[in-house]
């Protein structure tokens, strides 16, 4: 069954700790994205990657880091430099349409809720 | 650049009422358009999509038609249920910068 898997579903972090959120996809999509969602808010882009070993900062990259060593995986690390990390984090993968292909696909994982304790 | 503008809520309805959530887009070409639904505590699920003008996407009783003349992709459901209570997002994939443009999201609450 194809899809995107985020883990864990809930994560608790102590002040000053780094934590890593996992995102894995088996859709064979080249592009992967991390978004942050705060209560009652929309989605804000943290980082994205179009291809293995390459990634770009989004709108709110400060305090976060990523890696893209495999096509299937795009982990997000929330570092101690992120001042307000408590939020809901969403991972997405996208197949961008190429000439001759039908249409763009964009799917999301189930999210990870990170709480600072 | 390409973007979507979505009617903001919140919207509160009674069961079996008609639901419309407005979404308009600005685009230089004819990108695909998506509606996502987010149930409490969950990620975004693709509800429906349309890939070209006059396409109608439909799923779970929801429909949206890609209208070029009004640059709109409004979401409609004829008879809502309590289980339709969720946040709905309109989205447009921007192929010029490989990002998704999202509407602000509309929170829908359906009361029994």
């Amino acid at each position: 069954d194809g899809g995107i898997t985020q883990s864990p579903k809930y994560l608790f972090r102590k002040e000053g700790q780094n934590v890593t959120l996992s995102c894995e996809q088996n859709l064979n999509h080249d592009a992967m994205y991390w978004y942050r969602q705060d209560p009652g808010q929309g989605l804000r882009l943290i980082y994205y990657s179009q291809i293995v070993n390459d990634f770009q900062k989004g709108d709110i990259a400060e305090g976060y880091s990523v890696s893209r060593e495999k096509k299937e995986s795009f982990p997000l690390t929330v570092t101690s430099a992120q001042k307000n990390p408590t939020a809901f984090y969403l991972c997405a993968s996208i197949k961008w349409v190429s000439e001759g292909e039908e249409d763009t696909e964009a799917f999301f994982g189930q999210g990870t809720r990170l709480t600072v304790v | 650049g390409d973007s979507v503008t979505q009617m903001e809520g919140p919207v509160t309805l009674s069961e079996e009422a008609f639901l419309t959530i407005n979404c308009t887009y600005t685009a230089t070409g004819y990108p695909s358009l998506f509606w996502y639904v987010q149930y409490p505590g969950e990620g975004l699920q693709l509800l429906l999509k349309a890939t070209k003008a006059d396409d109608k996407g439909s799923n779970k009783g929801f429909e949206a038609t890609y209208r070029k003349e009004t640059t709109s992709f409004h979401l409609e459901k004829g008879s809502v249920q309590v289980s339709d209570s969720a946040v709905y997002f309109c989205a447009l994939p921007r192929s010029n910068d490989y990002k998704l443009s999202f509407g602000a999201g509309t929170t829908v609450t359906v009361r029994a």
Side-chain angles (χ1 to χ4, degrees), chain A residues 33 37 50 96 103 106 110, chain B residues 36 38 42-43 49 51 98:
Chain A
Y33 298 73
Q37 187 179 33
Q50 299 299 319
W96 291 97
D103 52 272
Q110 285 299 299
Chain B
Y36 289 92
Q38 184 177 34
E42 298 185 11
K49 68 178 184 181
T51 58
Y98 298 103

Side-chain angles (χ1 to χ4, degrees), chain B residues 57-69:
Chain B
S58 60
N59 187 24
K60 299 183 181 180
F62 289 89
E63 291 184 344
T65 301
Y66 192 154
R67 297 201 185 279
K68 182 175 60 174
E69 61 277 7

